[in-house]
Structure formats: structure tokens, C-alpha cells
Amino acid sequence: MPARAASFRSVFAVAEFRRIWLAHLLSIAGDQLARVALTVLVFDRTSSAGWASAAYALTFVPDLLGGALGGVADRFSRRTVMVVTDVGRAVLIALMAVPGLPLPAAAALLFLVQLMAGPFQAARQAMLPDLLDPDRLVVGQAIISSTYQAGLVVGFGAGAAVVTGLGVPGALLIDAGTFALSAVMLRFGLDRYPPSAPSHHKRPSLIAGCRLVARDRKLRWLLLIACCCGFYVVPEGLAVPVAAELGGAGALPWLLAANPVGSVLGGILLSRIPRERQVRVLGALTVASSLVLIPTGWASGLVTIVVLWTLSGVFSAHDMITQTQYSLAAPSAQRGQVIGVAIAALRAAQAAGIAAAGLLAQVFAPTTVITVAASAGVVVAFVAGVGWSRAVSSRRGPADHEDPVGPAGGTTPVGEHGS
């Protein structure tokens, strides 16, 4: 009989996890406030919906580049990396609140703010296995992922309300305050992990991280599984034209909320499954994330499509399993570099998927494009799932751990940490 899954209570019982989870909440609030505030600022000055949407899209571009900086989490204490990037974001956002700041300057500052998110996320994720044993690690990952998805659901409305009530400068100052508070919580609420910077690789890089991933079978297949999101993220990118196809803007909020709501539900359900079983069903869940989207092309009515997209979100919660296994499979001293590779690859996959879908939607109906993307996603996910199953079932070679679901002895459960 497999051991029971760790409980949410056991994860929240650890002070370090609670502090980082609260810092995560502050980060989500800060990100949404900055995005909404800049969008409003651009629209107020240009009266152009096109420029406003372009400004919002700009906030996601640095995430791709930020992943390449994940190696700094291996060169310095991961706590130091998180604190410094939080302080840097607080200062930059405070500068954005200066009255009369030119729009190009505001956009450049926001670009730098988002660029710092990459090292922060890599350091946070790299610290997780140092704080959580493998069973509680996946539950902690589920809490963090569900919190992020829930933040997406309510973030736009809450951000817009704050900007409307306080104005753009006031909202930005609150945003800066969230990052400053996060920095204080992390600095005085966490120990140093690792205690000192490693001496054997002074110049970690994205290329070095790619080499590490290429040499490890588990990391290679897990990265491909993670990049399958480039297929089932397509509905998010085509939600606006699909809403128009269904008959109006009233459908848009339901379409946008479907995947995040499903992800929250899926995270809660999957966290109750024992770790050994999670690993066994990872490939099947990856396939299902795209498979349930295939009927979108001939589905009739908003309700049917929302149900399909929500189910895709439920299955896509397998991402928490992928992240956990990826972190456990990565060498401890180079974990930041390896995670940086994953961040960059994920953003590239999402950007490529949405961009390709947008081009196809110029020729075909948006719902048809989603069906095509989902069909391709099923094929890639099947290949990735088979490769992963073979990797965990084989114990040959130095890259494979004795524990097929992770190095059970490779963590020090001295506390807990949210990613």
C-alpha cells in the first residue's frame, strides 16, 4: 500500500513555508497591479486600445529572458537572490510612480521589473527541495500553483478596483510596498539555502543548465512534458475571438476563468494522491490536458466549451507533479541553472503556441485552430509520457536515482517553502 499523501495542514504547519507563501501572495498582487496600472496609464495617454494591449503583453516578454538568469541562484544564497530581486522591483516600481514619467521610461522600468522575476522564481523553486521532503513538496507545490491560478481569476478585477480608487501613482506605490514587505519577510524569515555559494562553478549560465538537462533522462522528458503547455495554452490566447464567435463579450470572462478554475480544482485533487501514483499517472494526465480540448472545434454553445476548457485545466494541474519531480531530479548545487532552463523553455513554448495559433486563426475558425493544436499536443504528450515512464522504470546509469520518484534522502525537511 502506498503511503498517504501529505496534508495541507502539515505543509502550513512549517513557518518557512507560510512566510514564502505569503510572499508569493504579495508577488501576485504586485504583478497584477503593475500590469493593470501600466495598461491604464498607456490608455489614458494614448486613447488607444491597441497600445494598451501591447503594453500589457510587454509584461510577459521578460519572463523568457529572465529564465536565462536563473543560474544566479546557484552562485549566491537563494535567500539573497530573492531578497535582492524583491528590493530591486520595489525601487523600480516606485520610480514608475513619479508623476509625468515618459511612457517609454515607464515601459522600460516595467520590463526590468519583470526581468527580475526569473531569478526570483528560479531561486524559490531551487530552495523547495531543501525545505520539504518529497511527499510534502508536491503538496506545497499544489498550494503555490493553486494560489497563482486563483490570483489570475480575481487579479484583474481587484487590480482595476485599486487603480480606479487610488489612481495609477497610488497603485504603483502600493505595488512597491508589496515587494518591500516580501523582501523583509524573506530576509528575516528564512535561513540561507545553500549556506554558502558553491565554489566549483563560479559562472553558471543557461548553456551550462541546458547541458545538465541534456545529460539526464528524467530531466529531458520532464522538460518536454512541461513544454506541452504550449498546446493547451492556445485557448487562452484565442479566448477573445472564440468569445466573438460565440456571440459576444459576455462569454469572455467565463472562457478566461475556465482554465485557472480547473487548475485550482485539479491541484487540490491531485495533491490527495500518493506520490508514487502521481508519478505513474503523469504521462496520462499530460495527454488528457490536450485530449479534452479536441471537441472544441465542433462543440456548440458556451457551456460545452467552458466545461471542456475547465477539464483541461483540471488535468493540466499535473504541472505541480512535473515541477516537483524536476526539482528532485536536478543536482542540488546546479538546481537554479536547471530550473532557469525550464522557465525559459516554458515561456518559449507558450509564446510559440499562442503566436502560431494567432496566425492560423487568420485563416481558420478559432475553435478549429484549438482542435488542431490539441491534436498535435496529444501526439507530443504521448511521446513525452512514454519516455518519462521508461526513465522512471529504469535504474541504469548515473542519472537515475535509486528512488524512482525522487531522491528520498536528498532533502532536508528542516522547514517548508512555497514556490
Side-chain angles (χ1 to χ4, degrees):
M1 288 289 292
R4 293 182 61 186
S7 67
F8 285 86
R9 177 178 296 181
S10 70
V11 175
F12 276 113
V14 180
E16 284 185 299
F17 176 82
R18 293 197 303 271
R19 291 170 188 137
I20 292 185
W21 178 70
L22 288 173
H24 182 59
L25 280 177
L26 292 170
S27 177
I28 294 172
D31 286 344
Q32 291 299 94
L33 273 176
R35 286 169 176 153
V36 173
L38 181 64
T39 303
V40 171
L41 180 65
V42 171
F43 184 77
D44 286 346
R45 294 194 187 178
T46 65
S47 299
S48 169
W51 280 112
S53 61
Y56 185 80
L58 176 68
T59 64
F60 292 93
V61 175
D63 291 340
L64 175 60
L65 303 176
L69 302 176
V72 299
D74 295 330
R75 190 173 182 181
F76 306 100
S77 160
R78 285 154 189 165
R79 183 188 68 182
T80 299
V81 172
M82 289 190 287
V83 171
V84 169
T85 51
D86 264 351
V87 171
R89 287 186 284 186
V91 172
L92 291 171
I93 291 174
L95 291 175
M96 288 174 59
V98 174
L101 186 71
L103 284 179
L109 289 172
L110 186 58
F111 185 93
L112 293 175
V113 168
Q114 294 300 121
L115 190 64
M116 290 185 177
F120 182 93
Q121 292 169 7
R124 186 178 57 192
Q125 185 71 16
M127 188 187 288
L128 272 171
D130 295 324
L131 303 175
L132 295 171
D133 60 72
D135 289 316
R136 290 190 296 175
L137 178 59
V138 71
V139 178
Q141 195 69 64
I143 293 171
I144 296 301
S145 298
S146 298
T147 300
Y148 176 75
Q149 295 295 338
L152 293 181
V153 175
V154 302
F156 292 109
V162 173
V163 172
T164 300
L166 300 178
V168 171
L172 289 173
L173 289 176
I174 290 180
D175 185 7
T178 64
F179 285 112
L181 180 58
S182 174
V184 172
M185 290 173 56
L186 295 174
R187 172 60 183 83
F188 297 102
L190 298 178
D191 290 332
R192 288 170 59 90
Y193 296 99
S196 60
S199 59
H200 59 279
H201 55 95
K202 291 297 186 180
R203 296 185 182 277
S205 66
L206 185 64
I207 295 176
C210 289
R211 290 172 179 165
L212 289 167
V213 173
R215 290 198 298 263
D216 190 299
R217 295 174 60 197
K218 289 183 180 179
L219 290 175
R220 291 198 305 269
W221 290 117
L222 286 168
L223 187 60
L224 182 58
I225 287 175
C227 288
C228 286
C229 68
F231 298 102
Y232 54 79
V233 76
V234 167
E236 178 183 333
L238 297 181
V240 173
V242 169
E245 189 178 319
L246 291 174
L252 184 58
W254 293 97
L255 295 175
L256 290 175
N259 187 274
V261 169
S263 295
V264 172
L265 295 175
I268 295 173
L269 293 174
L270 288 178
S271 66
R272 309 312 306 150
I273 300 176
R275 182 167 57 100
E276 294 83 356
R277 191 173 299 168
Q278 290 176 355
V279 174
R280 290 197 296 269
V281 302
L282 178 56
L285 292 173
T286 308
V287 171
S289 300
S290 292
L291 184 64
V292 296
L293 293 174
I294 291 179
T296 300
W298 55 84
S300 59
L302 174 64
V303 174
T304 302
I305 291 180
V306 167
V307 170
L308 293 173
W309 291 15
T310 302
L311 285 174
S312 177
V314 170
F315 292 123
S316 73
H318 73 262
D319 178 62
M320 73 180 194
I321 305 174
T322 307
Q323 291 184 49
T324 299
Q325 294 304 313
Y326 191 85
S327 297
L328 290 173
S332 178
Q334 291 89 25
R335 198 177 289 142
Q337 298 171 76
V338 171
I339 291 173
V341 171
I343 294 173
L346 284 176
R347 294 309 183 191
Q350 292 172 331
I354 292 177
L359 291 175
L360 289 174
Q362 302 299 315
V363 181
F364 304 101
T367 49
T368 301
V369 174
I370 292 172
T371 293
V372 171
S375 300
V378 168
V379 174
V380 177
F382 178 79
V383 172
V386 170
W388 165 247
S389 296
R390 291 176 176 174
V392 297
S393 63
S394 172
R395 301 193 180 192
R396 295 173 300 174
D400 293 321
H401 299 291
E402 289 300 315
D403 180 354
V405 296
T411 60
T412 303
V414 295
E416 296 201 6
H417 170 80
S419 169

